[in-house]
């Protein structure tokens, strides 16, 4: 099957879907499921290919955050498997209109989606591969975010505990491995006062070593000098009204651990740079050991949940090694799936955090929090990654990467960091005891907005604009409230209906905000600076067209209408 030649034609079957001709290497059944939306079921097929005209195309969206360029035909495939990625892609047109969104039902198997421009014809060719294909093809012209949201629904939804959606404090960037009972409890108390309801204690609790390696992972015993009584410590944190999650680098068995010798011969590989081996989850005793170690945190120490890190490291570059004697399955991803299912059966209903790149819907039943991958001090990257995750994560709580800043960061820039995480659950990770009063005021104000508008921000309809530019404007709405964040000096459209309160968060460097009204309306306007200080209040008449208002950098504009005005 030739996938890289511009005029390649392959397959034994073709199907007409709308105005698109699809070639497959197996028989297919086509079902129309919506307005210009189809499902193709080809259980014996391993590949399909089609082309769409590149007319008014602006971006090619994939779950891998990064440049949204429209790539050439020789672009490398986007691969997906249980432990990495999600099988979905979207070709986006002018003003965010969907051109072609494709998704595969196999969220646990090894699949690929390849997209690229054919120079000879100006068409965009898409090739999908997998073992047995069930394809969702959306050729509607609605906003691309709506097409992606329906993909997440197609994959299956799940219920997420309310606690997973509340702002959190993480020890990783602020304390790194220098964690102990007093430090954690001190940060938890301050974080609670500022608006955080969860603390996530990261690497360092299990070792006295501070070399930032993983040589001491695997035994998962508390560092007795730092945490002499873990259960009592957790009880004190709970007394503050704060939930507690504990970090585990689940695949790693460090060379300095007692478990290293115990499981030697049941490793997938050894990672020299990390001073640790990767356990083989195809072995039942490996899975039982890991489940037992993690369960102890919840059952004995009364943790509320687990931060399960490095699941993607189970995947071995170049393919799975042959299983050693005692394994009960041959596929590593199957072993991972059994591990997560066994852990979930032992600890149902707890908080479980995963992170990019293991975002597959195949793991959804076993985790309810998904975090953007590490991007310290990069607010734009945090914004793009969290919005990307929101688009395909269904009802799971999407968390920002831990938000940090330099101690001398101006208050306005602290607010910009927080606004860039506005459409996710913020995780704060700075030493709260070292913050200036102004910085603390910024945290308190914006976490208050996160909490007050939690349902709108996290469960409302999400519409990010201009994916080709990294989403410089994002809105969400739920029929009662609308929240818009501008990250560049762009005009803000004010709809005539559909909201009682409209918020504009200004993360751009320009304080001049153009409100573009659809109809004449009068509203109450209140502007706040980055610290939550009210700087102006007025009755504002919005005429059809442009109205100029002033919103401080890092500040917020709140527009309200009375019941009579809605």
């Amino acid at each position: 099957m030739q996938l890289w030649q511009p005029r390649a034609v392959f397959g034994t079957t073709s199907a007409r879907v709308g105005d698109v001709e699809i070639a497959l290497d197996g028989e297919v059944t086509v079902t129309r499921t919506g307005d210009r939306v189809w499902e193709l079921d080809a259980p014996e097929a391993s590949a399909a290919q089609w082309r769409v005209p590149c007319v008014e195309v602006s971006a090619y969206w994939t779950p891998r955050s990064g440049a949204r360029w429209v790539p050439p035909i020789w672009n490398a495939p986007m691969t997906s498997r249980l432990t990495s990625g999600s099988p979905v892609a979207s070709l986006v047109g002018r003003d965010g209109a969907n051109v072609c969104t494709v998704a595969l039902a196999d969220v646990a198997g090894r699949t690929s989606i390849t997209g690229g421009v054919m120079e000879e014809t100006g068409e965009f060719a898409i090739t999908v591969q997998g073992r047995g294909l069930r394809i969702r093809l959306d050729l509607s012209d609605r906003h691309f975010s709506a097409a992606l949201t329906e993909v997440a629904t197609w994959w299956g939804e799940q219920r997420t505990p309310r606690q997973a959606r509340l702002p959190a404090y993480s020890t990783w960037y602020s304390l790194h491995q220098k964690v102990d009972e007093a430090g954690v409890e001190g940060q938890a108390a301050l974080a609670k006062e500022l608006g955080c309801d969860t603390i996530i204690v990261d690497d360092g609790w299990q070792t006295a070593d501070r070399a930032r390696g993983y040589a001491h992972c695997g035994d998962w015993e508390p560092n007795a000098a730092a945490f002499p009584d873990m259960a009592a410590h957790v009880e004190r944190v709970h007394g503050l009204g704060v939930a507690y999650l504990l970090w585990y680098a689940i695949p790693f068995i460090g060379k300095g651990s007692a478990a290293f010798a115990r499981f030697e011969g049941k490793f997938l590989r050894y990672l020299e740079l990390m001073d640790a081996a990767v356990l083989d989850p195809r072995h039942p005793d490996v899975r039982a050991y890991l489940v037992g170690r993690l369960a102890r945190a919840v059952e004995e120490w009364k943790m509320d949940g687990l931060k399960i890190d490095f699941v993607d490291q189970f995947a071995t570059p170049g393919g799975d090694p042959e299983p050693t004697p005692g394994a009960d399955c041959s596929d590593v991803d199957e072993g991972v799936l059994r591990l997560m299912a066994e852990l979930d059966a032992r600890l149902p209903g707890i908080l479980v955090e995963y992170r990019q790149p293991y975002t597959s819907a195949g793991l959804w039943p076993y985790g309810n929090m998904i975090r953007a991958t590490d991007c310290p001090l990069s607010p734009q990257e945090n914004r793009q990654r969290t919005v990307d995750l929101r688009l395909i994560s269904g009802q799971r709580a999407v968390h920002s990467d831990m938000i940090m800043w330099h101690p001398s960061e101006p208050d306005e820039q602290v607010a910009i960091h927080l606004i860039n995480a506005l459409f996710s659950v913020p995780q704060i990770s700075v030493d709260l005891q070292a913050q200036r009063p102004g910085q603390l005021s910024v945290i308190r104000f914006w976490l208050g907005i996160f909490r007050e508008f939690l349902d709108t921000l996290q469960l409302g309809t999400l519409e990010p604009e201009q994916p080709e530019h990294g989403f410089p404007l994002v809105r969400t709405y739920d029929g009662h409230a609308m929240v818009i964040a501008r990250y560049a000096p762009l005009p803000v459209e004010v709809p005539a209906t559909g909201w009682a309160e409209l918020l504009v968060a200004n993360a751009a460097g320009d304080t001049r905000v153009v409100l573009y009204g659809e109809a004449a309306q009068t509203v109450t306007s209140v502007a706040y600076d980055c610290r939550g200080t009210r700087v102006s209040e007025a009755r504002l008449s919005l005429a059809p067209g442009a109205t100029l208002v002033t919103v401080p950098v890092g500040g917020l504009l709140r527009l309200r209408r009375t019941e009579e005005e809605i």
Side-chain angles (χ1 to χ4, degrees):
M1 189 174 299
Q2 301 178 32
L3 301 179
W4 307 109
Q5 296 184 15
R7 290 193 176 88
V9 177
F10 70 94
T12 58
T13 304
S14 65
R16 192 77 183 177
V17 177
D19 51 3
V20 171
E21 189 76 22
I22 300 179
L24 304 97
D25 62 349
E27 296 299 316
V28 62
T29 301
V30 179
T31 304
R32 184 168 180 164
T33 60
D35 184 13
R36 292 185 59 76
V37 181
W38 293 265
E39 285 186 23
L40 292 79
D41 191 11
E44 303 302 321
S46 62
Q49 189 176 66
W50 63 93
R51 309 170 188 177
V52 295
C54 263
V55 177
E56 295 187 334
V57 165
S58 63
Y60 181 55
W61 182 94
T62 73
R64 296 176 178 174
S65 295
R68 299 301 188 201
W69 70 317
V70 182
I73 188 66
W74 57 83
N75 185 45
M78 180 191 69
T79 59
S80 176
R81 59 188 295 178
L82 179 75
T83 50
S84 180
S86 299
V88 58
S90 183
L91 190 63
V92 184
R94 184 164 56 90
D95 296 329
N98 175 60
V99 175
C100 178
T101 294
V102 57
L104 303 179
D106 185 2
V107 293
R110 302 181 194 194
T111 62
S112 71
I113 299 176
T114 308
V117 173
M118 300 176 63
E119 299 168 4
E120 292 85 350
T121 65
E123 295 173 298
F124 194 84
I126 296 176
T127 303
V128 300
Q129 292 182 283
R131 286 183 287 184
L133 295 177
R134 186 170 159 226
I135 305 168
R136 177 184 170 89
L137 184 61
D138 188 330
L139 299 175
S140 67
D141 61 358
R142 57 195 167 152
H143 200 272
F144 83 100
S145 61
L148 290 172
T149 297
E150 285 197 2
V151 168
T153 302
W154 183 61
W155 281 338
E157 297 288 359
Q158 73 167 122
R159 299 179 67 180
T160 297
R162 187 75 169 180
Q163 187 73 43
R165 301 191 184 281
L166 299 175
Y169 180 86
S170 168
T171 64
W172 181 236
Y173 292 149
S174 56
L175 303 177
H176 279 104
Q177 290 183 315
K178 298 178 181 178
V179 288
D180 58 23
E181 288 184 352
V184 169
E185 291 167 25
Q187 296 295 330
L190 289 170
K192 177 65 177 179
E193 191 274 327
L194 292 170
C196 292
D197 284 83
T198 300
I199 190 165
I200 304 172
V201 172
D202 212 290
D203 187 6
W205 67 269
Q206 81 293 352
T207 177
D209 182 76
R210 298 294 182 255
R212 294 278 296 273
Y214 298 92
H216 300 281
C217 290
D219 294 335
W220 303 116
E221 293 287 347
N223 170 15
F227 297 93
D229 189 335
M230 185 65 87
H233 160 62
V234 173
E235 185 177 7
R236 289 193 294 273
V237 171
H238 283 162
L240 299 170
V242 177
Y244 203 131
L245 272 71
L246 197 60
W247 171 88
Y248 288 84
I250 190 170
F252 295 159
I253 293 289
K255 67 179 183 182
S257 69
F260 191 88
R262 173 179 174 179
F263 289 106
E264 198 159 9
K266 297 178 181 179
F267 300 154
L268 292 171
R269 64 191 185 281
Y270 184 78
L271 304 173
E272 293 285 349
L273 292 177
M274 294 187 173
D275 292 329
V278 176
L279 282 167
D280 189 343
R282 295 174 294 185
H283 288 269
D285 59 332
V286 167
R287 299 195 301 270
Y289 174 77
L290 290 174
V291 169
R293 292 287 85 191
L294 273 64
R296 183 185 181 197
V298 176
E299 295 170 348
E300 182 179 331
W301 303 330
K302 306 306 179 184
M303 297 288 176
D304 301 279
L306 306 169
K307 174 176 180 173
I308 298 180
D309 212 352
F310 293 109
V311 173
D312 53 308
Q313 290 296 318
F314 282 118
T316 302
D320 295 349
E322 286 295 319
T324 54
D328 61 358
C329 56
S330 59
D331 187 87
V332 169
D333 282 358
E334 174 61 27
V336 172
L337 201 58
R338 294 185 185 191
L339 170 62
M340 295 306 176
E342 290 164 12
L343 181 64
D344 183 67
R346 176 84 173 260
L347 303 172
I350 66 166
L351 299 173
V352 175
E353 184 199 277
Y354 297 148
R355 66 168 170 84
Q356 289 177 314
Y358 42 102
T359 60
S360 167
L363 290 173
W364 284 5
Y366 315 116
N368 39 46
M369 301 158 62
I370 179 71
R371 178 177 64 81
T373 197
D374 296 15
C375 51
L377 255 173
S378 184
Q380 189 278 336
E381 186 74 6
N382 218 354
R383 173 177 83 245
Q384 183 166 322
R385 287 185 175 277
T386 52
V387 170
D388 286 340
L389 284 170
R390 278 286 309 277
L391 289 171
I392 58 159
S393 292
Q395 294 300 305
R396 281 198 302 175
V398 170
H399 283 236
S400 72
D401 182 39
M402 293 77 72
I403 303 170
M404 60 160 291
W405 51 83
H406 190 275
S408 61
E409 194 80 279
D411 297 349
E412 291 79 7
Q413 187 63 30
V414 172
I416 287 173
H417 282 285
L418 293 168
I419 297 171
N420 272 275
L422 188 61
F423 302 95
S424 65
V425 180
Q427 289 192 16
I428 307 299
S429 191
V430 291
D431 182 355
L432 296 175
Q433 296 174 337
Q435 300 303 297
R436 301 190 309 270
Q439 293 170 321
L440 292 173
S441 295
V442 172
I443 299 170
R444 185 179 295 106
F445 172 63
W446 278 106
L447 290 190
I449 297 298
F450 280 109
R451 298 173 67 91
E452 182 180 356
F453 292 91
L454 183 150
D455 288 336
T456 306
L457 288 167
Q458 294 187 40
L459 299 173
T461 299
L462 182 72
E463 288 184 355
E465 298 298 336
Q466 302 180 30
E468 67 274 23
H469 295 139
F471 307 132
L473 187 143
V474 183
R475 73 173 61 82
T476 185
Y477 53 91
D478 59 7
H480 170 73
M482 175 176 288
V483 182
I484 301 171
R486 68 194 286 266
Y487 304 99
L490 297 174
V492 174
E493 292 188 16
V494 180
T497 60
W499 58 276
E501 186 163 12
L502 188 149
L503 276 62
V504 180
N506 185 26
D510 189 350
T511 63
R512 298 167 298 177
V513 177
V514 175
L515 304 178
Y516 195 84
E518 294 179 351
Q521 51 188 314
T522 301
V523 299
T524 298
S525 168
V526 182
Y528 301 84
D529 69 11
C530 64
R531 292 168 289 275
T533 301
R534 186 175 301 194
V535 295
S536 67
E537 183 172 1
R539 289 289 286 174
L540 184 65
S541 295
L542 298 176
T547 301
L548 185 65
V549 297
T550 299
V551 183
V553 175
L556 179 71
L557 179 70
R558 295 182 73 154
L559 304 179
R560 292 189 182 92
R561 299 194 292 197
T562 64
E563 291 292 334
E564 293 76 19
E565 295 166 330
I566 296 174

